[in-house]
Amino acid sequence: MVDEDPLMGGLLRAVEADPGNAALRVHVAEMLLQRGRAAEALEHCTRAVSADPASPEALRLLQEITAALNGASAPAEPPAPASPPPAPAEQPFDWAFAERQLGGDAFEDDPVDEPERLRLDDVAGMDDVKRRLNISFLGPLRTPELAGAYGKNPSGGLLLYGPPGCGKTFIARALAGEMNASFYPVEIADVLDAYVGQGERHVRQFFETARRNAPCVLFFDELDALGQKRSHLRNSSWLRTIVNSLLAEMDSVRGRNDGVFVLGATNHPWDVDSALRRPGRFDRMVLVLPPDDEARAAILRSGLRDRPVGDVRIPLLVKATDGFSGADLVHLVDSAAELALADAISFGERRPITEHHFRTALAEIRPSTGPWFQTAKNVAMFGNADGTYDELLAYLKRTRQL
């Protein structure tokens, strides 16, 4: 859909061309807010905070947008009120509204059964990831007596990390399915609020509702945005208190309810506060790498399903897309389909997607995982004193990136 405002249309096209540009997203969000389009502004600002959690401009703007959506204006750094928060602070958190905003699974005091649960078997390839998950997480949960005999405690959380677009959320859903547990994703926009103390209140309500609906999986996406190092938050004391609240609630889960499982995902584990990584919290980390050959073939076949396909040899495409993320592969299939559609429009009849369309698309598309591995390589080489990133280091050596 073309934006009727020429200036906004140009800015939105610039965002599409450079989706990871946090400064550009902040500018777009500010322009949208000025035009009364707060809901759209929230989406761009949330992505900006995820890309640059320490950005004071993004955090300030996020407060203003939240205040606009709540029908109030908030200062850049909310002062501590002399009296209790206004009426909105007394209202219960609207889970149904949050679900509609996120497009996630229903999650209320009477959980709705999912018509089709994902399982790890639904995840193509990634055998190393599945093995790690079974040994470090699922195995102890399924056999608590046997795990206890070996001193293995099934409590604590699990942190999935790796390049963006490689299926961390999909794997988290599959884990919830393996445990027959309700799945509820939590993002930073669900936690932050314009009013002082509301962020901590939201975190507490997430966990309290999860305990009422156990077994339940709480999935914190982009954990580095919410649980970033407190040393980076010297000028954002209100965000530091949210991190402290998350730490306290995770400790409570360990002692009060074994039916609540906490999963997290991040592209930047080195930015997560070290206190969140101690035993009993996110004490297990699993590296989720770009899809292997089997997984790439499955993603490509899934993308081509129900589309007119000609002479497309999947094995050749698999070989040509080594290092592509799952999101890159979806983008590749969509680009090839667009080229085939352009041919169909020119000829006035349906035209199949062929290898020619894929070759043309591959000439313009490069793996988006490259910048992540450049940063990760430095961490693995110089910030791995405790062995946290041994798995990443082994992969970099195996793929000759070191």
Side-chain angles (χ1 to χ4, degrees):
M1 179 178 177
V2 179
D3 198 292
E4 295 181 358
D5 185 334
L7 176 59
M8 283 308 310
L11 289 172
L12 292 173
R13 286 193 294 274
V15 168
E16 290 180 3
D18 189 8
N21 190 327
L24 178 59
R25 282 197 182 274
V26 169
H27 180 60
V28 169
E30 196 160 17
M31 297 288 289
L32 287 169
L33 181 61
Q34 291 173 1
R35 286 160 170 74
R37 297 160 64 175
E40 296 174 65
L42 178 62
E43 178 184 353
H44 288 282
C45 193
T46 300
R47 295 196 180 187
V49 172
S50 298
D52 186 7
S55 169
E57 294 82 6
L59 292 172
R60 172 192 57 77
L61 185 59
L62 187 61
Q63 288 181 281
E64 294 181 6
I65 294 171
T66 307
L69 290 171
N70 288 337
S73 59
E77 182 74 16
S83 57
E90 300 301 324
Q91 299 175 357
F93 186 78
D94 189 346
W95 288 98
F97 174 78
E99 284 292 349
R100 291 194 296 273
Q101 292 294 101
L102 287 171
D105 303 323
F107 185 81
E108 298 177 347
D109 284 342
D110 295 317
V112 177
D113 292 332
E114 297 180 53
E116 183 178 351
R117 284 187 177 275
L118 290 175
R119 297 288 192 273
L120 285 179
D121 288 342
D122 298 318
V123 181
M126 298 190 177
D127 292 333
D128 288 343
V129 173
K130 295 176 185 177
R131 179 181 55 80
R132 284 287 310 278
L133 292 174
N134 275 301
I135 292 175
S136 66
F137 198 67
L138 291 174
L141 289 174
R142 289 168 174 162
T143 57
E145 297 84 3
L146 190 60
Y150 289 88
K152 185 70 174 177
N153 192 334
S155 64
L158 177 71
L159 181 61
L160 305 170
Y161 80 99
C166 289
K168 292 183 286 294
T169 301
F170 188 69
I171 291 174
R173 286 182 177 273
L175 276 174
E178 291 286 341
M179 294 184 286
N180 288 319
S182 301
F183 180 84
Y184 190 81
V186 179
E187 297 181 357
I188 189 170
D190 303 314
V191 177
L192 299 186
D193 197 283
Y195 297 101
V196 172
Q198 281 293 81
E200 299 92 304
R201 177 187 175 91
H202 290 168
V203 170
R204 185 170 63 253
Q205 287 179 326
F206 290 143
F207 280 90
E208 288 177 351
T209 306
R211 294 178 190 120
R212 288 196 302 270
N213 292 279
C216 175
V217 168
L218 274 180
F219 175 63
F220 289 90
D221 200 6
E222 302 294 345
L223 185 66
D224 53 288
L226 180 61
Q228 60 184 290
K229 292 180 178 178
R230 284 169 289 180
S231 58
H232 295 170
L233 303 174
R234 293 190 180 92
N235 298 323
S236 300
S237 57
W238 57 277
L239 191 53
R240 285 174 60 94
T241 62
I242 293 178
V243 178
N244 292 336
S245 179
L246 179 59
L247 293 172
E249 290 299 329
M250 290 199 70
D251 287 342
S252 296
V253 166
R254 185 180 183 186
R256 291 169 51 190
N257 197 325
D258 291 334
V260 177
F261 306 98
V262 186
L263 305 181
T266 177
N267 301 330
H268 305 102
W270 40 83
D271 289 336
V272 175
D273 194 283
S274 58
L276 278 170
R277 302 260 323 284
R278 59 160 246 197
R281 295 169 182 170
F282 291 105
D283 50 5
R284 282 158 288 191
M285 291 178 59
V286 174
L287 174 61
V288 180
L289 292 163
D292 53 23
D293 290 359
E294 182 183 350
R296 293 202 301 280
I299 294 170
L300 290 168
R301 290 193 182 97
S302 175
L304 290 171
R305 188 180 301 129
D306 300 327
R307 285 172 166 167
V309 181
D311 58 333
V312 175
R313 290 171 289 180
I314 296 296
L316 291 182
L317 288 178
V318 168
K319 186 176 180 180
T321 53
D322 186 27
F324 277 52
S325 70
D328 294 334
L329 293 169
V330 172
H331 177 49
L332 174 65
V333 173
D334 288 343
S335 298
E338 287 178 2
L339 293 171
L341 174 60
D343 287 348
I345 293 173
S346 299
F347 285 91
E349 61 181 12
R350 288 175 53 141
R351 307 287 288 186
I353 303 171
T354 66
E355 285 184 5
H356 168 72
H357 298 125
F358 275 103
R359 284 195 297 270
T360 303
L362 279 168
E364 300 178 357
I365 298 174
R366 294 290 180 271
S368 63
T369 57
W372 187 88
F373 278 113
Q374 286 298 319
T375 301
K377 181 167 64 175
N378 294 330
V379 174
M381 291 176 62
F382 307 111
N384 192 33
D386 59 354
T388 297
Y389 301 106
D390 283 351
E391 188 180 7
L392 172 61
L393 190 62
Y395 174 80
L396 294 172
K397 291 179 178 178
R398 187 168 66 251
T399 54
R400 298 181 179 178
Q401 296 186 56
L402 282 181

